[in-house]
Amino acid sequence: MKKLLSLILAMTLLIGASAMAEALPAETLFTPGTYEAEAQGFGGMVQVTVTVAENEITDVTIVGEMETPALGGVAVGTMGEAIVKAQTPHVDGVSGATVTSAAIIAAATEALEAAGADIALLDEYRRDESEDVVKEEKTIETEIVIIGAGGAGMTAAIMAQQAGKDFVILEKMPYVGGNTTKATGGMNAAETLYQKEQGVEDSVELFAQDTMVGGHNINDPDLVNTLAAKSAEAIDWLDSIGADLPKISFSGGASTNRIHAPADGSAVGNYLVDKFSEKLKELGVEVMLNTKATELMVENGQVVGVKAEGPDAYYTIKSKAVILASGGFGANLEMIADYRPDLQGTVTTNAPGATGDGIVMAQAVGAALVDIEQIQLHPTVEQSTSMLITESVRGDGAILVNQNGERFTNELLTRDAVSAAELAQEGQYAYIIFDQHLRDNLKAIEKYVTNGLTVQGDTIEALAEQLNIPPETLAKTLADWNEAVATQNDAQFGRTTGMNENLTVAPYYAIQVAPGIHHTMGGVKINTSAEVINTEGNAIPGLFAAGEVTGGVHGGNRLGGNAVADIVIFGRIAAESAVEFVSK
Ligand code: ADP
């Protein structure tokens, strides 16, 4: 029976997929109807509803309201159609949204099995693979090309549209946002309307000074002064497009309350990406998704366009100016290993599009690079999922122990120092340890628990046993720590913050963590007008850059709140300079 079915299927594939349902009158793949199943996604459960006819998956509906809109949300929005097209649940997931993608595949498989499907047979005769897309050659003429639709690119696009320019914006991923979606804190800015309203004293000079000190004074002072001087007007501009950041608080390395966040305290990255997307939509700008810039075109020393590849065409895009806003290279582990052999094998927290394409393309046309080896590590990254365990866990009182169950550092030193301390431990990892009380008070932890990252024990000894740590050592470490909290004196490592609560409420939890690549500070050299500078020190006519693709703003260490400042402030400058250049 199976053999006959396979034969009929093979024949129908030959005569074309659309004829398939008619060609199988006598045999059935499914029991017609609608079937549902669910699986654990990134933020919550993902529900998949599959409708099947006798020989066809006719509809797949996916609901995953808790998934991150810019990542898992893309999987929720696109994978149903892909399953219908392929006629199997085993379709490609969305890169960067592996947990959600896996949940969708699992739930769709379960629903189809409930419909009586033989999944292996569906895989054998999947339909989408047999289609060979022949890509056309297309030429576009425009004034400006923006490469990358993260924070810097979308800022530049809004500005270019407001200036009435003709432009295209390319994004190689199926979604916008890039690494910008990962920003949680806010945007540093000085002498802002909000600071004045709220009685916060600050100055452009102090902001610049803090940024230089934070960057170990290797930053480009002119870029830093520009960042600080243009920060207040960037906050006003965000207001003007409906992306207000009125909530001010303190962030590491700042002399005063300078970090500006959304009113409801939500993560700044997703907030801005949503607001920018809404604004672009309102302005009628369409981002060319799944379209990767591959090369900068140069004529007589001037950048005159971009070569790109989209899902169904190779593009030659002729333009008067190009803005590189393609982000850093934190997800390009080969490039990381080239510039920093010591970081070989380190996992990354970066969005998958952060592969340094802009740096490579700019270098090919003579651009100089600065501080390219300056890479920031984050010390608490769960390695199997690359999920970043927020600093708040330590800030709220968690400790780090090694495989012997011993603390080895002040857990709240700078990211680089804690990372270095972890790397000095045997196995180059640590466990972050906390209790039920801490879990109850920190919403972020639920996500770690539902994703299976935590190990749990009813007593500290039980937890130690599960981790293969000597129970008596971990118990003593906890007792010593609780004593340090009680006396507010960490004699061992001199920790003074994150000591308001002890760790005494069972059950106890651990997450195994190690450092992960977080931000690439170096990149393409620019001047204060965001013009790209060549290796001889001259501006390359027609080429501008902004955001993580550039180097010099952050020096040897980026302060929290300065990545968002960088993309908005220099994204605006790059657009202004490009608009002026093409208007000449
Ligand atoms: P920034 O913070 O500087 O804006 P992001 O990482 O947020 O940087 O955004 C950079 C965007 O550029 C990402 O969405 C990334 O996928 C995209 N990108 C990277 N390389 C290319 C490329 N070659 N062509 C088109 N888009 C690219």
Side-chain angles (χ1 to χ4, degrees):
M1 177 83 95
K2 274 268 167 67
K3 240 188 188 161
L4 173 70
L5 180 60
S6 304
L7 189 68
I8 298 170
L9 260 169
M11 284 168 59
T12 26
L13 278 171
L14 277 178
I15 55 172
S18 57
M20 185 173 179
E22 288 154 59
L24 286 168
E27 194 50 80
T28 58
L29 292 174
F30 312 109
T31 309
T34 297
Y35 301 85
E36 275 179 26
E38 59 177 21
Q40 177 64 46
F42 189 73
M45 296 309 278
V46 174
Q47 285 94 24
V48 176
T49 308
V50 177
T51 305
V52 291
E54 284 189 351
N55 296 309
E56 181 119 36
I57 302 171
T58 56
D59 186 56
V60 177
T61 312
I62 305 167
V63 180
E65 281 156 4
M66 301 298 286
E67 304 311 282
T68 320
L71 288 172
V74 176
V76 168
T78 60
M79 284 178 67
E81 205 179 307
I83 292 171
V84 173
K85 193 168 166 224
Q87 293 290 305
T88 160
H90 290 144
V91 293
D92 288 342
V94 171
S95 58
T98 37
V99 177
T100 312
S101 302
I104 291 169
I105 291 169
T109 302
E110 194 184 321
L112 285 165
E113 279 171 350
D118 175 345
I119 305 293
L121 196 66
L122 298 184
D123 281 349
E124 203 177 327
Y125 292 100
R126 65 177 304 137
R127 288 191 194 170
D128 52 350
E129 273 177 355
S130 56
E131 296 169 18
D132 279 331
V133 181
V134 180
K135 294 193 181 186
E136 287 177 70
E137 299 277 347
K138 283 190 186 164
T139 302
I140 297 174
E141 288 195 30
T142 186
E143 291 182 286
I144 304 171
V145 182
I146 301 170
I147 303 176
M154 288 202 282
T155 299
I158 296 168
M159 293 283 290
Q161 184 72 3
Q162 287 176 333
K165 291 297 157 193
D166 190 37
F167 69 96
V168 295
I169 172 164
L170 313 176
E171 170 53 57
K172 73 171 175 181
M173 301 303 289
Y175 44 83
V176 299
N179 263 356
T180 302
T181 55
K182 309 264 175 169
T184 50
M187 167 170 157
N188 289 336
E191 299 185 32
T192 65
L193 179 83
Y194 295 117
Q195 281 180 320
K196 283 173 198 154
E197 268 177 15
Q198 294 167 41
V200 175
E201 277 195 33
D202 196 5
S203 72
V204 165
E205 292 72 29
L206 198 56
F207 179 13
Q209 191 185 317
D210 288 344
T211 300
M212 290 299 298
V213 171
H216 311 316
N217 282 305
I218 65 165
N219 329 41
D220 179 333
D222 291 339
L223 295 181
V224 171
N225 288 336
T226 302
L227 181 87
K230 303 258 181 184
S231 61
E233 63 184 65
I235 291 282
D236 294 343
W237 179 78
L238 287 174
D239 278 356
S240 78
I241 61 157
D244 327 25
L245 297 176
K247 190 168 175 269
I248 309 175
S249 59
F250 179 77
S251 173
S255 301
T256 184
N257 287 355
R258 184 180 293 139
I259 194 162
H260 293 61
D264 64 357
S266 58
V268 71
N270 279 324
Y271 171 83
L272 286 183
V273 169
D274 287 350
K275 295 288 181 186
F276 290 166
S277 300
E278 276 167 31
K279 190 69 193 177
L280 286 172
K281 205 166 172 195
E282 181 194 314
L283 294 171
V285 175
E286 209 169 301
V287 177
M288 288 173 70
L289 295 172
N290 296 304
T291 306
K292 178 182 175 177
T294 51
E295 192 185 323
L296 297 173
M297 298 183 328
V298 184
E299 258 171 37
N300 303 323
Q302 180 162 335
V303 172
V304 292
V306 173
K307 297 244 183 203
E309 183 178 354
D312 43 33
Y314 293 105
Y315 295 98
T316 299
I317 311 174
K318 296 181 182 167
S319 68
K320 295 183 191 156
V322 173
I323 299 175
L324 279 178
S326 46
F329 60 100
N332 186 336
L333 299 181
E334 229 170 273
M335 207 160 153
I336 300 260
D338 274 354
Y339 289 119
R340 285 286 302 275
D342 59 309
L343 295 180
Q344 190 145 17
T346 310
V347 303
T348 183
T349 63
N350 278 223
T355 48
D357 303 6
I359 295 172
V360 176
M361 285 188 280
Q363 256 191 313
V365 300
L369 303 185
V370 283
D371 299 335
I372 197 74
E373 69 296 342
Q374 297 295 340
I375 294 170
Q376 187 170 65
L377 294 178
H378 194 291
T380 52
V381 179
E382 199 283 325
Q383 303 287 296
S384 66
T385 54
S386 296
M387 200 187 276
L388 196 149
I389 309 302
T390 171
E391 238 137 41
S392 309
V393 183
R394 282 168 289 146
D396 282 8
I399 58 170
L400 292 171
V401 302
N402 58 21
Q403 188 61 53
N404 297 330
E406 292 158 341
R407 286 178 69 217
F408 53 88
T409 183
N410 168 355
E411 292 84 350
L412 287 163
L413 294 177
T414 59
R415 289 172 178 175
D416 281 13
V418 178
S419 297
E422 277 173 4
L423 293 174
Q425 305 309 304
E426 206 183 324
Q428 305 195 313
Y429 61 84
Y431 296 103
I432 186 162
I433 308 278
F434 53 93
D435 70 349
Q436 181 63 36
H437 180 66
L438 200 151
R439 175 179 173 183
D440 289 341
N441 288 296
L442 188 61
K443 214 171 130 205
I445 290 180
E446 293 318 304
K447 202 166 66 184
Y448 312 144
V449 176
T450 50
N451 278 286
L453 307 189
T454 46
V455 174
Q456 176 174 341
D458 285 340
T459 62
I460 197 71
E461 287 83 358
L463 180 69
E465 259 160 37
Q466 291 202 62
L467 303 173
N468 248 340
I469 288 177
E472 61 288 359
T473 315
L474 190 62
K476 178 166 183 332
T477 299
L478 256 282
D480 289 350
W481 172 249
N482 288 331
E483 177 66 19
V485 171
T487 58
Q488 289 294 295
N489 176 22
D490 174 23
Q492 227 182 341
F493 295 105
R495 173 163 159 182
T496 54
T497 50
M499 295 177 73
N500 292 337
E501 307 281 348
N502 59 20
L503 300 173
T504 51
V505 182
Y508 296 92
Y509 300 87
I511 303 173
Q512 188 172 338
V513 291
I517 310 276
H518 195 50
H519 188 96
T520 49
M521 267 88 65
V524 172
K525 187 173 171 66
I526 54 164
N527 62 16
T528 55
S529 303
E531 294 173 298
V532 174
I533 305 301
N534 69 15
T535 46
E536 266 119 53
N538 303 315
I540 300 175
L543 187 59
F544 304 86
E548 203 176 340
V549 68
T550 69
V553 174
H554 308 295
N557 176 50
R558 177 182 62 77
L559 292 184
N562 270 357
V564 175
D566 188 7
I567 59 182
V568 180
I569 294 160
F570 281 97
R572 275 167 50 75
I573 295 174
E576 281 167 353
S577 297
V579 164
E580 198 190 317
F581 186 83
V582 304
S583 307
K584 275 184 200 158

